[in-house]
Amino acid sequence: MSKKRILISLSSLALAAISTNSFASGFLPGDLAVVRVGTGSGTLSSAGTALFVDEYMTNGTLRQSIAAPTTGGTALTVSGSASSEGSLNASGNGSLFTCTGYRADAGTASVVGTGAATNPRVVGSLNWSTGAIDTSTSINNQFDKNNIRSAYTDNGSLFYTSGANSGVVSVANGGTTGTVVSATVPNERVIHGFGGGLYFSTASGTTKGIFSVDLGSGVSTNLINTGSSSSSYDFLLVDPTHMLVTDDTSGGAGGIFEYAFNGSAWVSHQLTATATRSIALLGNSLYFTSADGKSILSANYSIGSYGGETTIAAAAANTVFRGIKAVPEPGSYLVLGVGFIGLLARRRRK
């Protein structure tokens, strides 16, 4: 066999390797991590469904797929039809991605309605530098018979989770019991941390939008009121005075909103009317998943400016995209968050 044919054969093997979890490797900084729900086999339903974290290049090329376990004592599955599940977060130190689900075998009927004692709610953490996924952390006493939706951690030692009926719940790495940190807003969507502060989105109750959590008192306070008819999901801090918030409302009312702090209030500007689930920012480019889960899109973005929206990847039949995050440079989240915490401190002293 010629050297040329040997090289071609080796290249083919390499391409095959990155398509399966057996050969999972580390993600590359500057790529995108995307939660995908479903294998493509069978219609998505309320049953326990396989979850994957896919690595995409920013041009929409798939590098690899990492599968969460789907059976037994390490299982992490999600509801195939619950669009509020499948959030993906980056840790404060930039080393991990986190997602949540259920300790339930794939195919478990109506998995959201199962009891937490029987099917604990699971926090999964993905070390993106190695491609290893850890599903050892679970909660057997909260989010009972309802959704767990999101998790955030500073460094992997303690996780803060959000869901439909328990408020903000913390759990130690490898633990099985959750502790309610704040019950001010019981029904929450995505939870994030910036510079030591904790924040979540909600679309329930009289005040909707982004809330901050006082970990000392357990009180959650509204930071950005997105309006009574809004349906806020993910959010992203651009700089200490600008935040992006996604909204999955159809018909042009949803999309991506830029909120700017003018010294006394957060003022909104709608960037796009494409109903949006989750968002990531890399340089001057936004990447986001559509609310219906069928597309990953990109657009040019700088503060106050948006354009060039295009679809870079489409979900295969019987699968959907949910959470999306950029593979970060270490420390990038922490530095930005410190400035944001300083802004909040100045506001509270007024």
Side-chain angles (χ1 to χ4, degrees):
M1 183 180 290
S2 69
K3 287 184 177 180
K4 184 176 180 181
R5 289 187 177 181
I6 291 172
L7 289 174
I8 291 172
S9 297
L10 290 174
S11 298
S12 299
L13 287 172
L15 289 171
I18 64 172
S19 68
T20 66
N21 196 41
S22 299
F23 298 91
S25 59
F27 287 17
L28 298 180
D31 275 356
L32 302 168
V34 185
V35 166
R36 169 172 52 92
V37 175
T39 63
S41 176
T43 304
L44 294 175
S45 70
S46 61
T49 304
L51 176 148
F52 302 82
V53 182
D54 293 341
E55 180 185 9
Y56 277 89
M57 298 170 62
T58 55
N59 65 3
T61 299
L62 177 67
R63 284 194 194 274
Q64 65 174 319
S65 296
I66 295 180
T70 57
T71 59
T74 61
L76 191 171
T77 59
V78 294
S79 167
S81 59
S83 60
S84 64
E85 296 179 12
S87 171
L88 188 70
N89 289 344
S91 62
N93 65 3
S95 66
L96 301 171
F97 290 121
T98 56
C99 55
T100 58
Y102 306 89
R103 186 78 78 219
D105 290 355
T108 299
S110 302
V111 67
V112 175
T114 61
T118 303
N119 296 110
R121 280 44 183 157
V122 179
V123 177
S125 60
L126 173 67
N127 184 324
W128 60 262
S129 68
T130 65
I133 189 167
D134 182 349
T135 62
S136 63
T137 304
S138 63
I139 298 172
N140 61 16
N141 62 332
Q142 303 295 335
F143 309 114
D144 188 56
K145 298 181 180 180
N146 222 320
N147 311 84
I148 184 171
R149 293 172 174 153
S150 180
Y152 169 78
T153 183
D154 285 331
N155 55 24
S157 61
L158 182 70
F159 298 90
Y160 295 98
T161 62
S162 60
N165 63 355
S166 294
V168 177
V169 177
S170 67
V171 59
N173 181 29
T176 59
T177 303
T179 300
V180 175
V181 172
S182 175
T184 303
V185 180
N187 191 343
E188 304 155 346
R189 286 182 168 171
V190 178
I191 190 165
H192 284 308
F194 304 120
L198 199 62
Y199 306 87
F200 63 81
S201 63
T202 184
S204 67
T206 57
T207 303
K208 302 177 181 180
I210 311 303
F211 282 71
S212 63
V213 182
D214 187 321
L215 292 175
S217 67
V219 174
S220 296
T221 304
N222 182 242
L223 176 67
I224 297 177
N225 186 336
T226 54
S228 60
S229 61
S230 65
S231 182
S232 302
Y233 266 93
D234 203 5
F235 54 102
L236 182 154
L237 190 64
V238 180
D239 68 19
T241 59
H242 292 86
M243 186 179 289
L244 300 179
V245 180
T246 70
D247 189 302
D248 75 329
T249 306
S250 60
I256 302 173
F257 292 81
E258 179 187 75
Y259 284 83
F261 185 67
N262 63 11
S264 59
W266 291 87
V267 180
S268 69
H269 168 59
Q270 187 174 13
L271 300 179
T272 175
T274 301
T276 305
R277 180 78 56 214
S278 186
I279 191 169
L281 178 63
L282 275 171
N284 290 324
S285 296
L286 279 176
Y287 300 91
F288 53 101
T289 55
S290 59
D292 62 9
K294 294 302 182 183
S295 305
I296 303 172
L297 302 97
S298 68
N300 301 319
Y301 170 76
S302 59
I303 292 172
S305 176
Y306 179 93
E309 183 174 306
T310 185
T311 298
I312 63 170
N318 300 317
T319 71
V320 290
F321 298 126
R322 290 189 179 159
I324 184 171
K325 286 293 169 283
V327 181
E329 296 290 345
S332 59
Y333 283 76
L334 179 60
V335 172
L336 180 60
V338 169
F340 186 58
I341 293 297
L343 171 67
L344 292 181
R346 290 196 297 274
R347 287 184 62 200
R348 287 165 181 165
R349 284 197 295 268
K350 292 181 179 180

